[in-house]
Amino acid sequence: MIRLKEHKYHQDDLRSQRFLNPQVLLLPLSQHTGKPSVCQVKIGQEIDEAQAIAVEDGFISARLHSPSKGKVISLDKVNHPNLKRAAAVTIQCITENKRYRCLRDPAKLEREGLLEIIKDKGIVGMGGAAFPSYVKLKPPVGIDTLIINGCECEPFLTTDYCLMLENLKEIFLGIEIISRIIKPKRIIFAIEENKKGVLKQLNLFVSMRKFNLPQIKSAVLKARYPQGGEKQLIYALTGRKVNSGKLPFDTGCLVHNVATCFAVYEAVYLDKPLIERLVSFCGDGLKEPKNVWVKIGTTLSELLEKKIIELKQEPKKIICGGPMMGVALAGLDYPVLKGTGGFIFLSKIPLSAEETPCLKCGRCVDTCPMNLLPLEYARAVKKEAYSQLESLSLSDCIECGCCAYVCPAKIPLTHYIKTGKYYVAKSK
Amino acid sequence: MLLKVNSSPHLNQPLDTRGIMIRVAAALIPAVAASIYFFGLAAIRVIIICVSASILTEAVIMLLRKKKTTLGDCSALVTGLLLALILPPQTTGYAAIIGSVFAIAIGKQIFGGLGSNIFNPALIARAFLMAAYPKMLTTFASPRSVDAVSSATPLALRKFSHNFTPLWDLFTGKVSGSLGETSAICLIIGGAYLLIKKIADWRLSLSMLSTVTLIAFIAVKINPINGSVLFHLFSGGLLLGAFFMATDPVTTPATKKGRYIFGTGCGILIMIIRYFSGLPEGVMYSILFMNALTPSINRYTHPRPFGNKASGKGEK
């Protein structure tokens, strides 16, 4: 694991803003891990806010709702950070913010009922991978440890921290619901030491026993990357290792992000689907870094047009997500997705160096959190010897980017690894 | 708006190949200073010849290979500097040039340039000179002598006449030997800088030095004539080898376990040569021998992926 410069701006003084009346929303049908959802609307159709516009397809998929009242104007493909172009629903919005009120008493709901709501409201993991939450909450039997992930180990991003500072109570209500579904023996709420501002309140909530929770404790970890990764976090907190090819619940642990807990709270208490999220806008290309609540589907170009975010100078690179694992965008017409934690505007390109010969120094091997051999992957991919990759456990790579970060020869190791994974998958 | 699109990560730590090489060269400054102090003009002459010949050879070869010049990475500078420091003070200019050309051309470029060579270029060049000019390479001028009087090195004195050089002289460097190898304190300062700055991996240096310490500790208990622990640590090319040669990233293992094996192997071989062979010193041959084993060491020391049980181990 490595220590990165944090780039997190006025840490303990975070305040969120809101921008909830966009004109146009781009809603790709694939915003989650798994099969894209199936579109249920036609062009010209009038829709209400929170109405389902696409339903899940298959076991691992998620429902999609309209974040605003409006009219479907197109079903064409739009820009997608991960998939380049993807099928989507484009909505012309009519500003009319719906009010969400508590309709039911969640205490009366059983496990099945809660799961059904989480499924119906299209909740996915909001830490980045966007894995459908009801799938994650459903099969686990014998989970003894529920881990709440508030680490946010990627530099720049502060959404989880901001959410914890402003909505810790709601997060705890969300944890209560998750805890009623999976019935763990203990809960660990993990943050990194750079989020101390929330610790006081967190410890208060933990000790208060106001919430109906089993044994719960907070854990403050050193700020290291990639500690927010599921496997790394489980190991750091419990010493258990997730075996290669296995899932976290095989170790009896389940990890949920704080933003997911908040979304679960909104779904169950307010009957509100996942249609908004908190997004960090940061980097030296912006006048002021901000955390803004926006509707899913809001485009960067509209946010700039409405001066919600303002450019200080022309950016040279825009990253969707964190700087270590995020995707560089080719323009501004990209929407916020359910799993988007932030956008980073860089006015200088930190990676100017070109690739030079590998020194075989082994820094990539030393730093790899999965104990892999990145230099061997790069060598094999350059030789197109894809058959060697599998025996070198390529599939265990979590693409955290640590190897390329430390490489003195500036070899884009993560790029080679992704290329290798692509060809391995293709050959099957 | 023109945006750069590339694969993650979008951050990169600033240290590059050039930075590593420059820091290695900087770490050699104390040893260079000591060599000039003890051997005067002779040292300056050998260092300048080796460094400039190495850089020139690199430039010419890149020109012949029709590739972009690689002088910017400063690796030729480091190779030339290291070669100069392991040659005796009265090496002739001719031999120094041949050695430098050999180091760059045969030691490095013939394998495909930086990163592809199997042997440490400076050491392989010295081994070549040892074969070509055996007399010159085993005659050492006395330190701070006006008229080039030659005298035996501390290790040769121990081996052939059972004479022990005072430890203080070994520590400061007032003994005969190769240019940069004599002063223990200067090498320790440079080595500590490399280890603290994490330019060199401590596993290599530490395992090599501790193996030598352990063997010398046992040997001196058996027979005092074998030489004390500190004598073995401070004499010959051990410190230069442990801090600057065995830590060359290119020719040493890339895995952590492999580095322990490499260092330990070097230490054992050095002591075998020092105690049992016809040569007084064995750092050069030990490291070259372990260089040759490095690809195999790498292959058999693949780390076990995180979370893999023992059964998944040992796959190639």
Side-chain angles (χ1 to χ4, degrees):
Chain A
M1 285 208 264
I2 51 176
R3 209 171 160 171
L4 297 171
K5 194 166 176 242
E6 283 164 11
H7 294 287
K8 300 198 183 201
Y9 69 98
H10 37 255
Q11 276 284 348
D12 300 321
D13 193 29
L14 292 168
R15 289 285 172 275
S16 66
Q17 301 180 3
R18 279 169 193 276
F19 173 66
L20 299 175
N21 38 8
Q23 279 177 334
V24 178
L25 294 173
L26 307 182
L27 298 157
L29 297 173
S30 179
Q31 305 205 12
H32 48 264
T33 305
K35 271 188 157 180
S37 36
V38 182
C39 181
Q40 300 282 303
V41 291
K42 293 188 289 286
I43 293 180
Q45 189 177 334
E46 307 248 333
I47 41 179
D48 275 332
E49 181 170 339
Q51 179 185 337
I53 53 173
V55 292
E56 55 277 10
D57 179 21
F59 180 59
I60 301 178
S61 188
R63 199 168 291 189
L64 184 63
H65 304 79
S66 173
S68 170
K69 186 180 163 83
K71 194 174 166 187
V72 179
I73 54 169
S74 164
L75 295 174
D76 290 341
K77 287 188 170 185
V78 300
N79 289 336
H80 188 292
N82 303 98
L83 309 169
K84 286 184 184 152
R85 303 279 293 170
V89 178
T90 305
I91 293 171
Q92 180 79 51
C93 305
I94 299 163
T95 308
E96 183 196 272
N97 281 338
K98 187 175 166 180
R99 287 185 179 278
Y100 295 91
R101 257 168 300 138
C102 189
L103 297 171
R104 55 179 162 235
D105 184 6
K108 285 190 185 138
L109 284 164
E110 287 304 309
R111 181 174 182 271
E112 299 306 319
L114 293 169
L115 270 173
E116 202 55 39
I117 294 172
I118 289 168
K119 182 180 178 184
D120 283 351
K121 299 301 169 196
I123 310 294
V124 300
M126 294 177 73
F131 192 82
S133 297
Y134 77 95
V135 182
K136 209 168 161 181
L137 289 168
K138 210 186 213 167
V141 273
I143 295 292
D144 60 4
T145 309
L146 170 65
I147 295 169
I148 305 302
N149 185 357
C151 287
E152 200 163 50
C153 59
E154 280 259 20
F156 287 97
L157 306 185
T158 49
T159 49
D160 286 351
Y161 191 25
C162 185
L163 189 72
M164 285 191 282
L165 286 170
E166 291 181 344
N167 297 90
L168 198 61
K169 188 184 155 207
E170 288 78 8
I171 292 172
F172 266 77
L173 291 171
I175 298 172
E176 206 178 72
I177 292 159
I178 292 174
S179 153
R180 275 177 48 207
I181 294 172
I182 60 167
K183 303 191 171 59
K185 288 198 186 70
R186 59 169 176 169
I187 300 174
I188 307 175
F189 196 123
I191 60 170
E192 284 190 343
E193 60 192 350
N194 54 12
K195 295 170 194 66
K196 286 249 169 76
V198 75
L199 193 60
K200 206 173 145 195
Q201 205 189 353
L202 176 60
N203 281 336
L204 187 71
F205 279 2
V206 163
S207 59
M208 213 156 59
R209 308 217 56 84
K210 170 180 160 192
F211 303 97
N212 182 17
L213 294 171
Q215 183 197 351
I216 177 166
K217 66 167 187 181
S218 61
V220 183
L221 299 166
K222 280 188 179 155
R224 290 286 183 279
Y225 179 85
Q227 197 154 239
E230 248 178 359
K231 293 181 179 184
Q232 278 66 36
L233 190 61
I234 291 173
Y235 180 66
L237 292 170
T238 66
R240 298 177 196 171
K241 289 182 176 176
V242 181
N243 287 344
S244 173
K246 298 281 181 177
L247 290 168
F249 69 77
D250 290 308
T251 64
C253 296
L254 199 64
V255 183
H256 278 282
N257 179 275
V258 287
T260 316
C261 298
F262 183 79
V264 166
Y265 153 80
E266 286 201 321
V268 173
Y269 278 82
L270 307 181
D271 205 30
K272 182 177 177 181
L274 179 48
I275 53 171
E276 290 166 18
R277 74 158 295 153
L278 190 58
V279 181
S280 271
F281 297 93
C282 38
D284 60 354
L286 291 183
K287 271 189 187 152
E288 196 192 352
K290 280 174 187 171
N291 281 309
V292 189
W293 281 98
V294 296
K295 300 219 154 165
I296 305 288
T298 312
T299 60
L300 270 185
S301 39
E302 182 165 356
L303 286 161
L304 281 166
E305 215 173 275
K306 300 267 171 68
K307 294 203 186 317
I308 304 301
I309 48 174
E310 286 175 276
L311 292 177
K312 189 163 71 184
Q313 45 196 320
E314 179 136 312
K316 293 263 166 43
K317 193 189 241 183
I318 301 177
I319 305 162
C320 172
M324 293 300 282
M325 290 185 75
V327 182
L329 302 179
L332 293 171
D333 289 319
Y334 282 87
V336 169
L337 304 184
K338 288 178 179 178
T340 306
F343 291 95
I344 304 168
F345 293 71
L346 298 176
S347 60
K348 311 188 266 292
I349 299 170
L351 263 176
S352 59
E354 56 188 290
E355 182 177 343
T356 57
C358 173
L359 295 176
K360 306 196 180 81
C361 63
R363 280 177 171 80
C364 53
V365 181
D366 295 352
T367 198
C368 178
M370 299 303 290
N371 293 343
L372 304 175
L373 295 159
L375 81 168
E376 295 290 328
Y377 300 145
R379 192 184 50 80
V381 170
K382 277 190 214 173
K383 285 200 304 189
E384 301 184 9
Y386 302 119
S387 57
Q388 292 178 10
L389 291 169
E390 273 176 277
S391 56
L392 289 165
S393 319
L394 179 72
S395 55
D396 282 335
C397 173
I398 56 169
E399 296 173 24
C400 65
C402 287
C403 50
Y405 174 83
V406 296
C407 181
K410 312 295 168 198
I411 300 169
L413 290 156
T414 318
H415 169 75
Y416 284 117
I417 289 169
K418 286 179 185 169
T419 312
K421 280 187 176 174
Y422 171 78
Y423 281 105
V424 168
K426 210 174 149 189
S427 69
K428 271 179 186 163
Chain B
M1 196 184 298
L2 199 65
L3 294 172
K4 186 175 165 73
V5 179
N6 65 330
S7 176
S8 62
H10 307 285
L11 292 179
N12 205 206
Q13 56 101 9
L15 184 71
D16 57 1
T17 305
R18 179 189 161 87
I20 292 178
M21 295 298 170
I22 287 178
R23 281 171 181 77
V24 173
L28 284 169
I29 288 173
V32 168
S35 75
I36 294 171
Y37 176 76
F38 288 116
F39 303 108
L41 278 177
I44 297 177
R45 187 179 55 93
V46 175
I47 290 169
I48 289 179
I49 292 174
C50 283
V51 169
S52 42
S54 297
I55 291 176
L56 206 67
T57 313
E58 173 103 349
V60 169
I61 289 176
M62 291 319 271
L63 217 64
L64 291 177
R65 285 177 68 194
K66 297 196 172 69
K67 296 223 167 159
K68 227 177 105 191
T69 180
T70 48
L71 289 180
D73 65 22
C74 294
S75 66
L77 167 80
V78 170
T79 302
L81 201 54
L82 282 173
L83 176 62
L85 294 181
I86 53 174
L87 291 177
Q90 76 288 24
T91 308
T92 60
Y94 207 49
I97 292 173
I98 292 177
S100 309
V101 173
F102 190 91
I104 300 292
I106 311 292
K108 189 171 84 174
Q109 290 292 354
I110 213 165
F111 293 98
L114 182 67
S116 305
N117 49 310
I118 298 170
F119 297 105
N120 187 310
L123 286 177
I124 199 85
R126 190 184 194 275
F128 170 75
L129 289 176
M130 191 80 169
Y133 304 95
K135 185 86 197 309
M136 190 197 298
L137 269 278
T138 47
T139 313
F140 297 93
S142 303
R144 295 198 71 73
S145 61
V146 190
D147 47 349
V149 190
S150 67
S151 58
T153 63
L155 280 169
L157 284 172
R158 179 199 76 81
K159 189 152 206 164
F160 304 122
S161 49
H162 305 310
N163 248 331
F164 284 101
T165 315
L167 275 180
W168 180 250
D169 286 352
L170 284 170
F171 185 65
T172 56
K174 197 168 168 269
V175 292
S176 63
S178 299
L179 283 180
E181 291 180 351
T182 61
S183 172
I185 175 69
C186 289
L187 290 168
I188 290 170
I189 292 170
Y193 170 78
L194 285 188
L195 297 191
I196 290 166
K197 287 273 172 193
K198 295 190 177 159
I199 302 296
D201 190 60
W202 57 270
R203 292 176 186 86
L204 288 158
S205 311
L206 205 77
S207 56
M208 186 162 156
L209 294 175
S210 49
T211 308
V212 168
T213 306
L214 186 71
I215 295 174
F217 181 76
I218 296 168
V220 78
K221 288 266 189 265
I222 295 168
N223 189 346
I225 220 142
N226 285 330
S228 69
V229 171
L230 283 180
F231 172 79
H232 278 287
L233 284 179
F234 291 168
S235 61
L238 182 68
L239 290 174
L240 186 73
F243 289 130
F244 294 94
M245 300 293 186
T247 55
D248 169 30
V250 179
T251 55
T252 53
T255 60
K256 288 178 196 169
K257 215 191 288 169
R259 289 184 208 134
Y260 288 118
I261 295 173
F262 186 97
T264 311
C266 282
I268 294 172
L269 287 171
I270 289 167
M271 295 317 269
I272 288 176
I273 295 175
R274 283 185 180 183
Y275 288 138
F276 303 113
S277 80
L279 290 168
E281 170 63 311
V283 173
M284 172 179 78
Y285 291 120
S286 308
I287 296 177
L288 286 174
F289 183 78
M290 293 308 288
N291 283 164
L293 289 184
T294 294
S296 311
I297 296 176
N298 270 337
R299 191 166 312 137
Y300 290 105
T301 55
H302 282 182
R304 189 187 307 163
F306 179 87
N308 257 24
K309 294 211 184 93
S311 59
K313 199 196 155 196
E315 296 164 339
K316 265 202 279 179

